[in-house]
Amino acid sequence: MPEGGDIRRAAVVVNTLSRSGEEAYARAVRLLRELGVPVMETYALRKPERLPEVVEEVLGGGCDLLVLGGGDGSVSTVVDYLAGRETVLGLIPLGTANDFARTLEIPFELEAACRTIARGKVVDVDLGLAGDNYFVNVATVGIGAEVTRALSPQLKKRFGSLAYPVAAIKAFFRHEPFSARLTFPDGDHDPVELERLLQVAVGNGRFYGGGLAVSPEAGMDDKRLDVYAIRMGRHRDLLGVLRYLRSGDFIKQENVHQYRTRRVCLETEPELPVNIDGEVVARTPQEFRVVPDALRVVVPPGSTAAR
């Protein structure tokens, strides 16, 4: 059983519509039982909209460990119900991007992910909160939300993680620059007003969009959000930003403003949709804050991503 977790009853919930969910479900249940995980209930969900209902049912049944098979969208849905609870999350990454797993060094390969759940350690990680929506990776306004709209299921199935840069190119040519005002209720930064923006992002984890880095220093237990705003500059400046997105070194670019904070309020002109972990579920104006140690999750024994 995971180090730091007293697990007596586990449930396995797999989104079989995630990129590799259908093939993974039966094999994951078998592997977990062979590894000694006390799996009592299993759910293969063909309708992702049933996920909240099933998670509530599982939690009501006294589950100590919820094993979730799915992508970042499934994780983001589930943490709304796990936040602040003792129930531990075990993750089998089955999505297109798997950025939450990438941040926590959870292996993508099915057997290795199951071994992590059975033999790993339980750590506490922070969550971001946008209004009443928890998020694990990042909330974005601007081109991030436009990328989400361009990411069709067909594009994901055809290109896998490459679907994100393909969608980003499509979104870039449709993007209209916007203005934003950032205020910091805790007074750790002065208010700032910015014009001609490409994107504002508020990150909790280290990665988003299939491995793009929020910031080189971003962590899931640092009690801070990483906020950045990218201004539209000359095309060659923008290419410089895009070039460094994967490493997070883009924050050193002239057109990028970056802040670390516990709380930030974002207003935009015009009002814009907010993309939270790949789903558009809110609009500006919006307040974002960090919720420290809000989620218990199993990570590999050697992971240094969280305590």
Side-chain angles (χ1 to χ4, degrees):
M1 288 301 94
E3 179 187 336
D6 181 18
I7 307 301
R8 297 177 303 278
R9 186 181 186 88
V12 178
V13 181
V14 176
N15 174 9
T16 58
L17 289 187
S18 61
R19 191 159 179 258
S20 52
E22 189 69 52
E23 311 88 75
Y25 168 68
R27 187 168 165 232
V29 171
R30 176 177 59 78
L31 283 168
L32 289 166
R33 284 177 169 154
E34 287 175 357
L35 288 163
V37 178
V39 176
M40 304 297 180
E41 302 161 78
T42 65
Y43 301 83
L45 298 186
R46 297 180 185 278
K47 295 181 178 178
E49 60 269 23
R50 288 196 59 230
L51 187 55
E53 166 198 338
V54 168
V55 171
E56 286 189 317
E57 183 179 323
V58 164
L59 295 177
C63 165
D64 306 299
L65 171 66
L66 172 59
V67 177
L68 175 67
D72 289 315
S74 298
V75 174
S76 193
T77 297
V78 166
V79 298
D80 281 334
Y81 300 89
L82 292 186
R85 288 178 173 265
E86 287 299 306
T87 302
V88 176
L89 175 66
L91 181 61
I92 299 173
L94 299 176
T96 303
N98 299 313
D99 288 305
F100 181 66
R102 194 186 310 272
T103 293
L104 292 177
E105 301 168 7
I106 296 170
F108 291 5
E109 196 273 321
L110 180 64
E111 188 168 342
C114 289
R115 276 199 309 272
T116 293
I117 292 165
R119 307 282 185 259
K121 62 183 178 182
V122 177
V123 297
D124 297 314
V125 301
D126 305 336
L127 294 175
L129 190 61
D132 58 359
N133 290 291
Y134 286 97
F135 61 95
V136 291
N137 296 323
V138 71
T140 60
V141 170
I143 198 168
E146 293 160 28
V147 170
T148 295
R149 283 198 290 268
L151 267 176
S152 65
Q154 294 80 10
L155 196 67
K156 287 184 180 182
K157 283 192 177 293
R158 183 176 177 188
F159 292 103
S161 61
L162 291 177
Y164 284 85
V166 171
I169 291 167
K170 289 183 177 181
F172 175 71
F173 287 109
R174 291 201 299 261
H175 178 73
E176 292 290 334
F178 63 97
S179 303
R181 176 177 169 82
L182 298 172
T183 53
F184 301 89
D186 294 342
D188 47 347
H189 301 283
D190 292 331
V192 60
E193 298 199 18
L194 302 167
E195 304 287 334
R196 290 189 51 75
L197 291 175
L198 179 71
Q199 174 166 281
V200 175
V202 182
N204 175 58
R206 180 165 294 178
F207 298 107
Y208 74 103
L212 304 179
V214 173
S215 159
E217 294 85 27
M220 293 209 78
D221 63 349
D222 59 7
K223 317 297 185 279
R224 294 289 187 277
L225 298 173
D226 288 88
V227 183
Y228 69 79
I230 302 178
R231 285 187 291 113
M232 291 282 284
R234 295 166 297 185
H235 285 302
R236 61 178 182 158
D237 294 334
L238 182 61
L239 287 173
V241 170
L242 296 176
R243 189 172 164 198
Y244 292 109
L245 275 175
R246 190 156 291 276
S247 67
D249 287 338
F250 71 94
I251 62 172
K252 300 172 185 174
Q253 297 291 303
E254 185 181 354
N255 286 349
V256 178
H257 301 259
Q258 193 234 1
Y259 311 89
R260 304 198 83 206
T261 187
R262 291 177 181 272
R263 283 198 299 163
V264 61
C265 297
L266 171 65
E267 302 168 75
T268 65
E269 177 59 45
E271 291 186 5
L272 293 170
V274 180
N275 169 8
I276 296 175
D277 286 337
E279 304 287 335
V280 176
V281 296
R283 293 188 69 83
T284 58
Q286 190 67 249
E287 178 177 294
F288 304 89
R289 65 183 178 92
V290 69
V291 185
D293 298 334
L295 179 69
R296 306 182 74 212
V297 58
V298 188
V299 300
S303 172
T304 58
R307 293 183 300 277

